[in-house]
Amino acid sequence: MRSLLPGAERPVVQFENVGMRYGLGPEVLSDVSFRIAPRSFQFLTGPSGAGKTTLLRLILLSARPTRGLVSIFGEEVSGISAKALTGLRRRMGVVFQDFRLLDHLTTYENVALPLRVQGRTEASYRAEVVELLRWVGLGERMHALPPLLSGGEKQRAAIARALIARPDLLLADEPTGNVDPGLGRRLLRLFLELNKLGTSVVIATHDFGIMDAVDARRMVLGEGRLRIEE
Amino acid sequence: MSTQAIPRARPEPAAGAPSPPVPAQLRRNAALVPTDTAAGRSLAAVIAILTFLAGLCAGAAEMVAANAAQWQGDVAQEVTIQIRPSPGRDVDADLARAAGIAKAEPGIAETRVFSKAEAERLLEPWLGSGLDLSDLPVPRLIALKLDRGRGSDLKRLRARLLEALPGVASLDDHALWLQRLSTAAGAFVGIGIGLVILVLVATGLAVTFATRGAMASNREVVEVLHFVGADDDYIAKAFQRRFFGLGLRGGAIGAGCAILAFVILGLLARAARSGPAGQEVEALFGAFQIGLRGYASVVLIGVIASLVTGVVSRITVRRFLA
Ligand SMILES: Nc1ncnc2c1ncn2[C@@H]1O[C@H](COP(=O)(O)OP(=O)(O)O)[C@@H](O)[C@H]1O
Ligand SMILES: [Mg+2]
């Protein structure tokens, strides 16, 4: 449901005075408000333990805010139905900090997963998946199981899995944390490319090397508060 | 706007190689939920054992039912007239008279009068041999074989005998014995069915626990499936498929072993029957065969066990995800 007027387009993500705590612990995030515009590119940064992963989990709806409003693709998510939740998740791609590849599936099967769970037949997506795998440099490793992949290869497999379903929103948690600077820059170019094609991208990182390489909005977390640097 | 456009937008792929053809068999058809785990194998073993036991119960019940039906058929073909000797009466004349009445009845195929010696020999198992029974009033018997084709009116025969030889002749159609046999066979079959149901319930419970364990140890997999856009139904189906597979494996092994056991016992029984004690063996166990219906019910139990496994795991997963 997109508006006809480009300027009035609904934000992909909108937080209003969101607070979040784990159990009875202290508030990890307090009064966080921001919007992520369609087709935008931003970094989410802050020191380790600042709450970057927590904020991404709130967007992913794998954690619920203790207070405040979270809207994803224009939909307020408190009390969302399981069916609608699945629909929202199919429009998002995620690269987890720890990859979360399924160890009993091959690289190819892992990358194809978002298409497979939509009930598509293997024949309908095979070429697409192979093409993407070759493009991220995993053409020779499609049959390998994740435990046999190097850190960089796992990273690329996780990114390919996040991209394969052509999401409207891509979330990446420390995507360059485990790779050498050269590969890190190549992965960054990949995200920029994807962004040019229309996907909103949020990259959580504390790697100043890659942040300084791109002139993009920075969302800085510190002591539970969010500060935006345009 | 698509990721398919990405490779075209960037002509120098990281792999460097000019697109070789797409490999034909990429997917190993791997289940979404890991299958061949130690827990999975033990569940398959439990299902196999339970199916085997249920198969034995069902086969035994089926065998009893079949043999009882055959005994009943045989026994119901025969009725006996008993002539009680009493002082002052000529037993042999009474016997002849009763035999005459029986022969005159339609539907009686054969009449055989047991001689005094034969009647005494029938008592041997109880009284021992070498006993002089000549002074004892041993009842005398006439065995009648009924004609299978024609209906026979035993009521009329009984009435006629009572009329001609009151207090002397009586007709035994084994009704009481048949009824007891039928009750016993029915009870046995009932117990068999009850045991089969119990075993299937136990299978269901085992599967519930195993599914819960699998969900807990596959929490990571479930989470990832959710994140990549799988709905609960899809995940439940994945688990159901996995458990149905385990159930099918266990059920097939269990049912196969049960059938094998019956085949082997059948062969042993046949060997024993052709041996010296064969008559007794047959009398004791009947024909040791569970027949096509018996084998079919064992197979059916295997199938039901796997279906129970699939359905129960699905329900458990849906509950778990909710
Ligand atoms: N599952 C959890 N339960 C309790 N506390 C958590 C959990 N996850 C994260 N935290 C806490 O929340 C804070 C923010 O963590 P996180 O969002 O992972 O930060 P970052 O990703 O920026 O390093 C940390 O203090 C961390 O200890
Ligand atoms: Mg983190």
Side-chain angles (χ1 to χ4, degrees):
Chain A
M1 273 196 292
R2 286 192 184 151
S3 166
L4 292 172
L5 297 167
E9 259 182 334
R10 277 201 195 134
V12 172
V13 177
Q14 182 167 7
F15 275 44
E16 281 171 51
N17 301 315
V18 169
M20 163 75 195
R21 63 172 86 232
Y22 287 101
L24 298 172
E27 266 201 329
V28 177
L29 301 174
S30 322
D31 285 324
V32 170
S33 300
F34 67 92
R35 291 161 164 238
I36 290 173
R39 291 185 281 287
S40 62
F41 186 101
Q42 47 260 300
F43 292 110
L44 173 63
T45 185
S48 185
K52 302 183 290 296
T53 300
T54 303
L55 196 144
L56 292 185
R57 289 188 60 203
L58 288 173
I59 298 177
L60 261 174
L61 308 179
S62 85
R64 295 296 158 105
T66 8
R67 58 198 176 84
L69 288 182
V70 174
S71 303
I72 310 291
F73 300 118
E75 193 171 339
E76 209 281 302
V77 297
S78 60
I80 190 175
S81 71
K83 197 167 172 234
L85 176 62
T86 304
L88 293 185
R89 284 206 172 129
R90 286 186 181 176
R91 296 178 64 186
M92 296 190 236
V94 207
V95 184
F96 294 99
Q97 200 166 352
D98 51 357
F99 317 127
R100 305 236 188 147
L101 299 169
L102 298 185
D103 284 349
H104 65 287
L105 300 181
T106 63
T107 306
Y108 168 84
E109 288 170 316
N110 267 288
V111 171
L113 208 52
L115 304 178
R116 183 172 169 187
V117 301
Q118 287 176 25
R120 286 177 54 177
T121 62
E122 206 255 334
S124 75
Y125 58 69
R126 183 189 294 146
E128 217 173 311
V129 174
V130 170
E131 195 177 11
L132 182 60
L133 277 167
R134 284 187 182 138
W135 191 60
V136 298
L138 290 173
E140 306 300 312
R141 305 292 278 148
M142 347 194 195
H143 304 289
L145 295 173
L148 300 176
L149 298 179
S150 73
E153 286 171 334
K154 281 184 199 163
Q155 187 91 62
R156 281 176 280 156
I159 291 171
R161 185 180 67 188
L163 300 187
I164 190 66
R166 305 162 199 185
D168 295 322
L169 172 64
L170 180 86
L171 307 170
D173 199 355
E174 314 266 6
T176 58
N178 296 278
V179 297
D180 60 82
L183 178 57
R185 275 193 300 279
R186 244 172 52 210
L187 293 176
L188 182 62
R189 279 211 301 279
L190 181 75
F191 291 128
L192 287 167
E193 202 73 55
L194 186 72
N195 174 241
K196 269 191 212 141
L197 295 167
T199 297
S200 304
V201 178
V202 179
I203 296 175
T205 183
H206 52 238
D207 178 352
F208 285 97
I210 70 156
M211 278 189 285
D212 290 342
V214 186
D215 182 27
R217 189 162 84 126
R218 292 186 196 180
M219 302 163 63
V220 186
L221 276 173
E223 275 145 27
R225 307 275 164 172
L226 180 73
R227 184 164 44 85
I228 309 258
E229 293 175 5
E230 298 289 339
Chain B
M1 218 197 295
S2 73
T3 43
Q4 259 195 309
I6 294 179
R8 268 167 235 133
R10 284 179 55 93
E12 2 83 84
S19 297
V22 173
Q25 193 45 53
L26 274 166
R27 204 175 134 194
R28 300 167 310 160
N29 258 330
L32 285 179
V33 183
T35 320
D36 204 32
T37 59
R41 278 194 297 274
S42 4
L43 180 65
V46 167
I47 293 171
I49 292 167
L50 291 174
T51 308
F52 175 69
L53 294 177
L56 288 189
C57 288
E62 168 63 25
M63 202 158 64
V64 167
N67 276 322
Q70 202 190 333
W71 288 333
Q72 280 173 351
D74 290 350
V75 170
Q77 285 303 298
E78 277 190 9
V79 293
T80 347
I81 298 173
Q82 227 181 76
I83 304 292
R84 260 181 296 278
S86 47
R89 280 191 79 95
D90 181 357
V91 182
D92 288 311
D94 288 346
L95 270 174
R97 184 129 177 249
I101 293 171
K103 271 197 188 112
E105 277 296 306
I108 305 291
E110 208 184 303
T111 316
R112 195 166 92 77
V113 179
F114 279 65
S115 68
K116 190 167 182 349
E118 280 172 321
E120 283 169 3
R121 208 162 51 234
L122 285 176
L123 289 173
E124 241 169 48
W126 283 273
L127 301 180
S129 55
L131 211 67
D132 186 9
L133 298 171
S134 48
D135 292 339
L136 284 175
V138 177
R140 303 283 297 274
L141 302 174
I142 306 169
L144 307 180
K145 208 160 227 148
L146 303 184
D147 191 332
R148 243 177 241 265
R150 281 191 287 169
S152 38
D153 190 347
L154 291 180
K155 227 181 247 160
R156 202 176 62 189
L157 177 59
R158 181 173 286 129
R160 287 237 171 120
L161 286 171
L162 195 67
E163 193 187 323
L165 299 158
V168 174
S170 61
L171 184 70
D172 182 4
D173 59 1
H174 315 301
L176 191 64
W177 192 84
L178 278 175
Q179 198 192 338
R180 281 200 190 136
L181 176 65
S182 155
T183 311
F188 199 94
V189 171
I191 290 171
I193 291 172
L195 285 177
V196 168
I197 291 172
L198 273 183
V199 168
L200 287 177
V201 168
T203 308
L205 287 176
V207 171
T208 306
F209 289 124
T211 309
R212 288 212 191 116
M215 289 295 289
S217 59
N218 287 300
R219 198 178 285 272
E220 179 89 342
V221 175
V222 171
E223 220 170 69
V224 169
L225 289 176
H226 269 143
F227 282 130
V228 299
D231 53 23
D232 287 355
D233 201 46
Y234 189 89
I235 294 172
K237 265 188 205 144
F239 275 89
Q240 181 192 356
R241 196 167 306 141
R242 181 224 169 165
F243 279 96
F244 181 67
L246 288 174
L248 212 56
R249 191 173 357 150
I253 293 172
C257 287
I259 287 174
L260 200 67
F262 281 115
V263 169
I264 289 173
L265 286 175
L267 290 178
L268 286 179
R270 189 179 295 171
R273 241 194 333 266
S274 58
Q279 291 294 314
E280 279 94 273
V281 171
E282 175 137 25
L284 213 54
F285 296 111
F288 205 101
Q289 268 171 357
I290 66 168
L292 217 57
R293 216 174 64 184
Y295 287 118
S297 56
V298 173
V299 170
L300 188 68
I301 285 171
V303 172
I304 291 176
S306 11
L307 287 179
V308 163
T309 309
V311 170
V312 167
S313 70
R314 181 180 192 137
I315 294 170
T316 311
V317 171
R318 290 310 301 246
R319 284 232 184 101
F320 192 95
L321 293 177

